Amino acid sequence: MKVLSAVAWPYANGPRHIGHVAGFGVPSDVYSRYMRMAGHDVLMVSGTDEHGTPILVAADERGMTPMELADENNRIIVEDLVGLGLSYDLFTRTTTRNHYAVVQELFRAVHANGYMVERTTSGAISPSTGRTLPDRYIEGTCPICGATDARGDQCDTCGNQLDPTELIDPRSRINGETPEFVESQHFFLDLPALAEALSAWLDEREATGTWRTNVIRFSQGLLTDMKPRAMTRDIDWGIPIPIEGWSEQPAKRLYVWFDAVIGYLSASIEWARRLGEPDRWREWWTPGEAEDQVSCYFQGKDNITFHSQIWPAELLGSMGRGDKGGEPSVFGDLTLPTEVVASEFMTMEGRAFSSSRGVVIYVRDMLERYQPDALRYFISAAGPETQDSDFTWAEFVTRTNSELVAGWGNLVNRTAAMIAKNVGEIPPLGATEPPDEEILAAVRGGFDTVGGLIERHRQRQAITEAMRLVGEVNTYVSRTEPFKLKGEDQRDRLLTILHVLAQCVSDLNLILSPFLPHASNRIDAVLGGEGTLTPMPRIEEVTDLDAGDLRLVGAEGTLPPVRDYPIITGDYSAFPRWESTPVRVGAAISKPSGVFTKLDPEVVDTELARLRGDDE
């Protein structure tokens, strides 16, 4: 099966915090790693989202150009995601010539098919600077639910899309001033003309019963009041509009969200081009090219609108599948999302993450102080999968110490230590007794149970089941008491138990490897392997590709320069199979060192002091 793992594009106006990777990063990687092990052909793509006003504002504050800021944050984000072990086939960026060309081609098709309509609209500008204010940089009171912190594009409280002119008492998020509204020409995506096709697609997805209830209900709710939505902006940082008379205008660009979601397609195309097989991307995108296809889109719940409405509408419009008909783009027919896997929000110590208010811990800081798998474990076991969750330092320390260290890590260490002390290598399996057969069968059954849960995006249940099996094996040790079998007449029984334990640990290591890839490689080495059980991503410096066969339009200075940049990629052909594999009898086992680091309880006070900004 061809599996497209389409991962939300982190915004490059600054480093990402752990709440971000709880929504898009860890869940997508756990799923992708499992699907590769299950024998499927996975293409996992994403990149940094680098256009829009927030980049301009942040660059101004730093005294940098937007590209300089994007370059700096792109590298930080790339290094952080590799440190976390996210196994992208390609993690790229939206300021590449390949991306610009793919976006422009898709816009041309949607426009040619009649689904981009010109309208005069009222746009907001800053009275003090004359700069255009994007919708999301305007706040006010929601006219629908009365929330006082609604944005000009959407109210997060009630979930409705808004226009900034609808807000009560609008104000600029940048400096608090009241914006002025002026008339301007823009292109709008004709969502009403695509509503019937969107509704049919969502009904089809609902019938599968695989979407999370909150996601499908919210997505269908968007159909009740479909309005054309602006897809261009008055801004000088973004992709030029590829229509005659528009591409030459220095202060009009495509809306950042129009171009960002197209990144899933452009990244797939870039991946294929860099592979030297420029049409290979079609295996994941063209209906009928593969016998079976799945495309899963991972993000936080604030981005559902763009993945269950805007992106499918762009795809449908590019294929001429709306009320106005039309012809497919140069890319041909394209597959719509199979799953929109949206997580809820993660808070921190009971408060919403906020970099400006200091309620934050960045991925980089977390990885510098703690093991990456400790964070991956917390997100998998206690993350915002189907409801909001709260990250607290007390729970992080408790879960790390009581579950990773005292549970799984202890089982690995005591097993290896007993084998090293008594044999020095994995012994052969002798005559078994019912407790041996029972525990071996229970752990083997975990492959079906845990794998099925991961495939259905129930990762909290999956890791809970895996850790339950860890507990059962620890109970098996207590029942069989191999540490008491010291007589020569008990030698055969001791060796059998040690073999059973080695097999159980090996199988559990495979089952837990999608969640804990760094630890799985260390445990593989403990069990006499090479320490390369599960492939890991790498950073590679590449040179920007040209537009290839696609048409790239823009005045001088509006197109990105050809330059070098880092990507995340990897060779994932050596993933182990998702099945019980017999341990290698005779593999040398030496006295192990700890797999997981136990945390001092004082970590809680130290980190809470950092959060308060106390002097250290």
Side-chain angles (χ1 to χ4, degrees), residues 158-161 199 202-203 213-226 304-305 308-309:
C158 65
N160 284 287
Q161 298 176 58
S199 179
L202 284 172
D203 287 348
T213 302
N214 61 318
V215 179
I216 192 67
R217 292 287 177 265
F218 180 84
S219 301
Q220 290 175 321
L222 295 172
L223 297 170
T224 59
D225 187 26
M226 297 275 274
I304 294 175
T305 299
S308 67
Q309 183 188 70

Side-chain angles (χ1 to χ4, degrees), residues 349-427:
E349 298 291 346
R351 293 184 288 170
F353 277 94
S354 172
S355 300
S356 61
R357 297 184 180 93
V359 185
V360 67
I361 180 167
Y362 294 108
V363 174
R364 171 149 301 191
D365 295 332
M366 194 78 179
L367 297 181
E368 285 177 352
R369 300 201 283 269
Y370 308 102
Q371 292 178 298
D373 281 355
L375 175 58
R376 290 178 64 110
Y377 180 79
F378 185 94
I379 290 171
S380 299
E385 185 174 276
T386 56
Q387 61 185 17
D388 292 350
S389 67
D390 190 38
F391 176 91
T392 69
W393 286 109
E395 185 179 3
F396 176 72
V397 169
T398 297
R399 283 188 177 273
T400 299
N401 290 347
S402 65
E403 296 170 24
L404 282 184
V405 177
W408 177 222
N410 180 54
L411 175 61
V412 172
N413 289 340
R414 71 199 301 198
T415 296
M418 285 189 291
I419 293 175
K421 178 181 178 181
N422 291 282
V423 195
E425 61 184 36
I426 296 179

Side-chain angles (χ1 to χ4, degrees), residues 15 120 322 513 521:
T120 300
S513 65
N521 284 336

Side-chain angles (χ1 to χ4, degrees), residues 50-100:
E50 300 179 2
H51 294 126
T53 296
I55 295 284
L56 284 172
V57 173
D60 282 350
E61 292 174 349
R62 296 276 306 279
M64 308 168 73
T65 67
M67 186 64 83
E68 287 172 339
L69 181 72
D71 285 343
E72 177 182 292
N73 288 324
N74 164 263
R75 189 168 294 276
I76 291 171
I77 292 169
V78 162
E79 291 173 353
D80 289 352
L81 300 185
V82 166
L84 199 54
L86 306 188
S87 57
Y88 293 99
D89 290 276
L90 179 66
F91 183 92
T92 180
R93 55 196 304 184
T94 58
T95 53
T96 69
R97 292 199 164 204
N98 174 80
H99 178 71
Y100 271 49

Side-chain angles (χ1 to χ4, degrees), residues 33 123 142 160 234 304 365 375 387 402 416 440 442 476 530 532:
R33 285 177 175 276
C142 177
N160 284 287
D234 291 309
I304 294 175
D365 295 332
L375 175 58
Q387 61 185 17
S402 65
L440 287 169
Y476 168 80
E530 298 296 322
T532 56

Side-chain angles (χ1 to χ4, degrees), residues 408-576:
W408 177 222
N410 180 54
L411 175 61
V412 172
N413 289 340
R414 71 199 301 198
T415 296
M418 285 189 291
I419 293 175
K421 178 181 178 181
N422 291 282
V423 195
E425 61 184 36
I426 296 179
L429 180 66
T432 58
E433 298 181 2
D436 310 325
E437 298 294 342
E438 289 167 7
I439 196 62
L440 287 169
V443 173
R444 279 197 304 269
F447 284 98
D448 287 340
T449 306
V450 175
L453 289 167
I454 295 175
E455 188 167 358
R456 298 195 302 276
H457 307 293
R458 298 176 182 174
Q459 294 182 10
R460 289 183 67 159
Q461 286 181 256
I463 200 165
T464 297
E465 173 62 15
M467 293 302 285
R468 185 189 68 78
L469 291 171
V470 169
E472 283 200 20
V473 179
N474 272 318
T475 299
Y476 168 80
V477 176
S478 299
R479 288 178 62 192
T480 57
E481 298 182 317
F483 40 83
K484 291 185 178 180
L485 302 177
K486 298 179 180 180
E488 191 59 35
D489 60 335
Q490 298 173 313
R491 181 74 176 171
D492 289 345
R493 179 61 186 147
L494 171 63
L495 296 183
T496 293
I497 293 172
L498 293 180
H499 180 98
V500 169
L501 283 174
Q503 184 65 60
C504 288
V505 169
S506 177
D507 284 350
L508 285 170
N509 194 36
L510 273 173
I511 289 171
L512 283 163
S513 65
F515 303 99
L516 311 172
H518 303 83
S520 72
N521 284 336
R522 290 195 296 274
I523 293 168
D524 179 59
V526 168
L527 294 178
E530 298 296 322
T532 56
L533 177 72
T534 186
M536 300 298 283
R538 69 175 188 271
I539 298 173
E540 188 175 301
E541 299 290 334
V542 299
T543 300
D544 196 8
L545 301 172
D546 59 24
D549 296 331
L550 304 177
R551 292 172 292 164
L552 182 60
V553 172
E556 185 177 353
T558 64
L559 300 178
V562 175
R563 67 204 191 284
D564 293 344
Y565 60 92
I567 62 170
I568 303 175
T569 187
D571 179 2
Y572 306 121
S573 59
F575 264 94

Side-chain angles (χ1 to χ4, degrees), residues 169-182:
D169 298 325
R171 61 189 179 276
S172 167
R173 289 178 57 194
I174 298 173
N175 55 20
E177 66 186 1
T178 301
E180 292 181 1
F181 292 94
V182 297

